[in-house]
Amino acid sequence: VVHLLKDRKMVQQIGGKVVRGILMIGPPGCGKTYLAKAIATEAGIPFISASGSEFVEVFVGVGPARARQLFKKARRLAYGSGACILFIDELDAVGRSRSADLGFGARTEQNNTVNQLLVEMDGLNARQEDVIIIAATNARESELDSALLRPGRIDRKIYVDKPNFEDRQKVFQYYFKKVKYDPGIDIKKLAMRSVGKSPADIENIVKESALIAARYKREQ
């Protein structure tokens, strides 16, 4: 994705289109937001972040209006900087499959917000501004609206799963650098004992150990 963003002129000369949308799927605490920020930093382009819950509102028309404002800001930044990444966290809060309303109006409002998102994504192609949407969710893929995931919209999928043994070692090493610790700690053993833990869990283990050390008046 970073190479495509950096070489977008070459892609356009060939006649191709830059990636429009990427969906990151995986359990919570596995670094989906960090990955999106890393892509923006590596490519050197602006990064806008929003949560799916920001679009969900009791008042009629607020969700679609927020979607329009967000995409307007993204297009303005893309025009000035060449491209822009729009990150939508917890996409399932706003992008669930559209269905009939049961009579309370909330479902219709969410359907309208999804419709507005679809219109804005198609509008990007017409204006030729490089706004790349990166969405993250820990819900099942089947819960999202199929129109959002069709080719030309959020069609690339990246599965961000829990770390394996080697990755857990690296995560432990990274978070231990942030605290004073005994060099004799066996990080490999810790990685073996933390099967199924997410990076967020590992960060919490290290922070908790620092709190316990402080409680017992230890220096490390």
Side-chain angles (χ1 to χ4, degrees):
V1 173
V2 171
H3 284 304
L4 279 172
L5 290 173
K6 284 182 173 177
D7 300 332
R8 54 188 174 273
K9 289 278 192 302
M10 192 183 288
V11 174
Q12 285 163 354
Q13 280 173 0
I14 294 169
K17 285 184 179 177
V18 179
V19 175
R20 285 287 168 215
I22 299 155
L23 178 64
M24 291 185 181
I25 308 167
C30 286
K32 296 184 287 293
T33 307
Y34 278 158
L35 263 177
K37 284 181 181 175
I39 291 168
T41 307
E42 194 78 16
I45 58 174
F47 179 87
I48 302 174
S49 179
S51 171
S53 59
E54 290 175 29
F55 300 98
V56 182
E57 191 59 79
V58 175
F59 305 105
V60 175
V62 173
R66 283 197 181 143
R68 282 193 295 272
Q69 286 167 4
L70 200 62
F71 277 88
K72 189 178 178 183
K73 184 181 177 185
R75 280 196 290 268
R76 194 167 63 244
L77 285 169
Y79 184 76
S81 306
C84 175
I85 285 179
L86 173 54
F87 179 69
I88 303 173
D89 203 3
E90 308 300 344
L91 182 68
D92 52 289
V94 65
R96 287 184 184 275
S97 297
R98 288 164 290 177
S99 60
D101 205 301
L102 298 174
F104 300 105
R107 189 72 244 184
T108 301
E109 177 63 9
Q110 188 161 356
N111 290 350
N112 289 343
T113 307
V114 174
N115 289 338
Q116 187 63 47
L117 280 173
L118 298 174
V119 168
E120 292 292 342
M121 281 181 215
D122 287 340
L124 299 177
N125 295 331
R127 292 182 184 86
Q128 286 301 308
E129 275 132 353
D130 289 333
V131 176
I132 295 93
I133 296 151
I134 300 181
T137 182
N138 44 47
R140 289 193 302 274
E141 201 180 316
S142 57
E143 290 182 21
L144 300 173
D145 196 286
S146 56
L148 274 173
L149 306 180
R150 75 141 171 85
R153 286 177 182 153
I154 308 176
D155 53 353
R156 303 287 173 106
K157 296 180 187 73
I158 299 174
Y159 295 93
V160 185
D161 213 342
K162 287 182 179 175
N164 59 24
F165 172 65
E166 284 180 22
D167 294 336
R168 287 196 301 277
Q169 272 185 280
K170 288 174 185 173
V171 175
F172 267 113
Q173 284 164 358
Y174 174 77
Y175 284 115
F176 268 129
K177 284 177 187 172
K178 296 176 182 287
V179 296
K180 288 182 181 176
Y181 73 101
D182 182 354
I185 286 175
D186 189 351
I187 290 176
K188 193 176 278 188
K189 194 175 179 181
L190 286 175
M192 289 169 86
R193 290 183 65 181
S194 56
V195 176
K197 300 286 186 192
S198 71
D201 291 327
I202 292 170
E203 181 190 12
N204 197 49
I205 289 167
V206 175
K207 282 183 176 176
E208 283 292 323
S209 67
L211 288 174
I212 294 165
R215 194 187 304 153
Y216 288 101
K217 295 182 172 54
R218 302 264 178 90
E219 288 185 7
Q220 58 183 19

